[in-house]
Amino acid sequence: MAAPHVAGAAALLLQEHPRWTPAQIKSALMSTAKYLEVYNEDGSPAQPLDMGAGRMDIEAALAPGVFLDPPSLTFGQVVSGTTQTLSFTVRSASSTAETYAISAISTAGGFGALAALPGVSVSPASITLAPGASAEVTVTFDSAAGTGIGENQGYIVLDGAAHEAHLPVWGRVVEAEAPASVLIIDNDASTTLGMADYASYYTDALDALGITYTLWDAD
């Protein structure tokens, strides 16, 4: 059911703003969506992995204040103890200048107790955009300071005097893995039938990668 609703919303925005690009329409729908006071079936606060950017608000999307590119940030799989950085561009969609305070928040503890998103920092902390101007915002995720192994998620919020925008941010922290120990089963008939021995292709590759192995001549 989401597809026809989003398509209809996009059509309404395009009717009002025929010069907007598909990316701008997508940004407007996502950055102005309702992400607070939205709950899962079990009563827990809905998070980015539950609902993406939130529930569409077409009236707000008609005047988003800014366009975000991209409108969401995904760090993907992050090895525990490492730091990763992404960035997004903020472009003014307003006819007047506006200053935005930028922060990273978590709603996991409840919508009445918004908190800083652990491990996530933004730079700069605020931007001022003239009509049509743009700025780049850097988002850094320090997995050692995050919520631990598993899903780390929340929102980057841009709070202005007349407009507010947000984008979901997510990363999955995983344990660092030691190089694997490999069992090579040599069953190429080189011993029993005197055929070519291909074991060196595997052992040479593993040696180059620094991976330990045991070679078993199954012949």
Side-chain angles (χ1 to χ4, degrees), residues 54 99 191:
T99 298
T191 299

Side-chain angles (χ1 to χ4, degrees), residues 17-193:
H17 300 285
R19 295 195 171 196
W20 280 9
T21 66
Q24 289 173 330
I25 291 174
K26 179 180 180 180
S27 171
L29 287 173
M30 292 179 65
S31 69
T32 60
K34 180 181 179 180
Y35 69 102
L36 300 177
E37 303 299 334
V38 181
Y39 298 88
N40 296 314
E41 187 175 357
D42 63 2
S44 62
Q47 302 294 293
L49 290 181
D50 300 314
M51 63 174 180
R55 183 180 298 156
M56 285 191 306
D57 183 339
I58 299 176
E59 183 178 3
L62 288 169
V66 293
F67 296 122
L68 307 179
D69 181 23
S72 64
L73 293 177
T74 301
F75 287 99
Q77 184 168 289
V78 182
V79 176
S80 179
T82 64
T83 299
Q84 292 193 20
T85 298
L86 296 173
S87 63
F88 65 97
T89 300
V90 186
R91 183 176 298 278
S92 172
S94 176
S95 59
T96 59
E98 191 164 359
T99 298
Y100 293 88
I102 308 173
S103 59
I105 69 166
S106 170
T107 60
F111 298 113
L114 300 181
L117 183 58
V120 176
S121 59
V122 297
S123 180
S126 69
I127 55 174
T128 299
L129 297 177
S134 63
E136 186 172 278
V137 177
T138 298
V139 180
T140 300
F141 177 41
D142 179 0
S143 62
T147 56
I149 301 298
E151 315 302 345
N152 288 244
Q153 56 184 318
Y155 297 93
I156 308 300
V157 177
L158 293 84
D159 188 12
H163 301 92
E164 182 182 293
H166 69 277
L167 67 162
V169 58
W170 165 83
R172 176 177 293 133
V173 178
V174 297
E175 293 280 8
E177 295 183 2
S181 294
V182 177
L183 171 63
I184 302 175
I185 301 176
D186 186 355
N187 195 23
D188 56 11
S190 59
T191 299
T192 55
L193 301 179

